[in-house]
């Protein structure tokens, strides 16, 4: 029950005309409650031979995100021509410097018509981010049972059900739901194995807060309750 990665698609038009060595910043791409930009650095147009480009992703709006990131260079027909994966879990925070890779790919390979990478002179780059939930604010380790149960929060090990909130699949365990959230557990009855249960009218952030509490975490602090208000109350009444 792997969590579906979020896909950010960036398009750089007139790639041949992008000046170097200065950076080119993409248009903003919004997914869920976050907005992202991709920075592309390349060699100058006067001396491209043998030079390489670098890619850096940055969060420009929204809450901080912890995720694994991969950069996919698409060719003109949409196939993955080049794929670079960051095995580390990086933390993206609003306004901070982008995270990415130097020397991702040679410019000569991109510009070579035989490789069919550019589409009408544009370059398509997909960024997949495998988001990990932020846990620290709601952990409660005072009681050993709560500590052990919380280890299973958003953990695919032994998970036997999943919820689909927006574009995200969130694994869960029916036994814990039956103990601590019987109404939510009732949603799982009769569902086919391997199918995700859609949750509508609730943001990913709020559903994670509710699920963390179900798994033994602390209740949201007063600041969060004020900020999320009605949405938090409605989600708690699922």
């Amino acid at each position: 029950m792997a969590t579906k990665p979020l896909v950010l698609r960036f398009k750089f038009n007139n790639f041949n005309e992008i000046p170097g060595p200065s950076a080119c910043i993409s248009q903003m791409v919004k997914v869920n409650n976050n907005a992202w930009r991709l920075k592309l650095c390349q060699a100058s147009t006067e001396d491209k031979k043998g030079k390489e480009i670098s890619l850096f992703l940055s969060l420009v709006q929204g809450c901080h995100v912890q995720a694994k990131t991969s950069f996919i260079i698409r060719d003109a027909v949409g196939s993955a021509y080049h794929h670079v994966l960051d095995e580390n879990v990086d933390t993206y925070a609003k306004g901070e410097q982008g995270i990415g890779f130097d020397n991702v790919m040679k410019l000569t390979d991109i510009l070579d018509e035989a490789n069919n990478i550019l589409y009408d002179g544009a370059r398509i780059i997909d960024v997949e981010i495998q988001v990990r939930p932020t846990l620290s604010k709601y952990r409660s380790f005072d009681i050993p049972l709560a500590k052990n149960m919380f280890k299973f929060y958003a953990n695919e090990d032994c998970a036997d059900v999943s919820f689909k909130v927006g574009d995200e699949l969130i694994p869960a365990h029916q036994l814990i739901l039956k103990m601590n959230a019987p109404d939510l557990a009732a949603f799982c009855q009769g569902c086919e194995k391997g199918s995700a249960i859609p949750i509508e009218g609730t943001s990913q952030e709020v559903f994670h807060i509710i699920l963390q509490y179900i798994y033994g975490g602390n209740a949201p602090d007063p600041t969060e309750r004020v900020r999320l208000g009605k949405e938090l109350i409605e989600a708690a009444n699922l």
Side-chain angles (χ1 to χ4, degrees):
M1 254 186 265
T3 302
K4 183 179 179 181
L6 302 179
V7 179
L8 313 174
R9 172 154 290 187
F10 299 94
K11 183 177 181 181
F12 293 89
N13 292 314
N14 302 317
F15 185 80
N16 283 328
E17 300 175 10
I18 296 176
S22 60
C24 177
I25 308 296
S26 73
Q27 292 186 344
M28 190 165 57
V29 173
K30 292 185 178 181
V31 176
N32 299 329
N33 297 320
N34 297 319
W36 307 81
R37 289 189 191 276
L38 186 65
K39 182 170 72 172
L40 182 151
C41 305
Q42 69 170 56
S44 67
T45 54
E46 291 79 17
D47 183 22
K48 292 182 177 178
K49 186 176 180 180
K51 300 297 183 179
E52 297 182 334
I53 58 100
S54 303
L55 299 172
F56 300 96
L57 180 69
S58 55
L59 180 67
V60 294
Q61 289 181 10
C63 301
H64 72 278
V65 174
Q66 291 183 328
K68 286 187 176 182
T69 310
S70 60
F71 295 86
I72 304 170
I73 312 298
R74 297 284 179 189
D75 62 18
V77 296
S79 300
Y81 182 86
H82 188 61
H83 188 184
V84 183
L85 171 65
D86 186 353
E87 293 290 349
N88 299 317
V89 177
D90 297 309
T91 299
Y92 294 90
K94 178 182 176 182
E96 292 190 358
Q97 188 174 357
I99 299 172
F101 294 93
D102 289 315
N103 305 325
V104 171
M105 191 174 178
K106 288 186 177 180
L107 283 169
T108 50
D109 291 338
I110 298 172
L111 299 175
D112 188 344
E113 293 183 0
N115 292 330
N116 197 30
I117 294 179
L118 298 182
Y119 178 76
D120 287 340
R123 180 170 178 231
I124 305 296
I125 302 172
D126 283 348
V127 180
E128 292 186 352
I129 52 176
Q130 191 80 33
V131 177
R132 288 196 173 185
T134 303
L135 308 178
S136 58
K137 289 175 62 177
Y138 302 103
R139 285 180 176 167
S140 177
F141 291 162
D142 295 335
I143 304 172
L145 178 60
K147 176 182 178 180
N148 291 331
M149 186 165 59
F150 199 84
K151 292 178 181 178
F152 286 96
Y153 163 68
N155 190 329
E156 296 176 8
D157 292 342
C158 303
D160 52 8
V161 67
S162 64
F163 298 97
K164 190 174 191 300
V165 187
D167 293 330
E168 184 178 5
L169 290 178
I170 304 172
H173 307 79
Q174 293 192 59
L175 178 60
I176 295 176
L177 298 180
K178 288 177 180 178
M179 289 189 300
N180 299 331
D183 290 340
L184 187 57
F187 276 66
C188 308
Q189 294 179 0
C191 67
E192 295 183 7
K193 185 176 181 181
S195 62
I197 300 165
I199 300 295
E200 299 179 351
T202 300
S203 68
Q204 293 174 0
E205 179 185 12
V206 167
F207 190 77
H208 273 298
I209 290 174
I210 297 297
L211 203 60
Q212 287 166 4
Y213 183 69
I214 291 171
Y215 275 71
N218 293 329
D221 59 37
T223 302
E224 293 295 307
R225 291 198 292 268
V226 170
R227 181 173 68 86
L228 298 171
K230 183 180 178 182
E231 184 183 359
L232 190 60
I233 294 172
E234 290 177 347
N237 289 327
L238 279 175

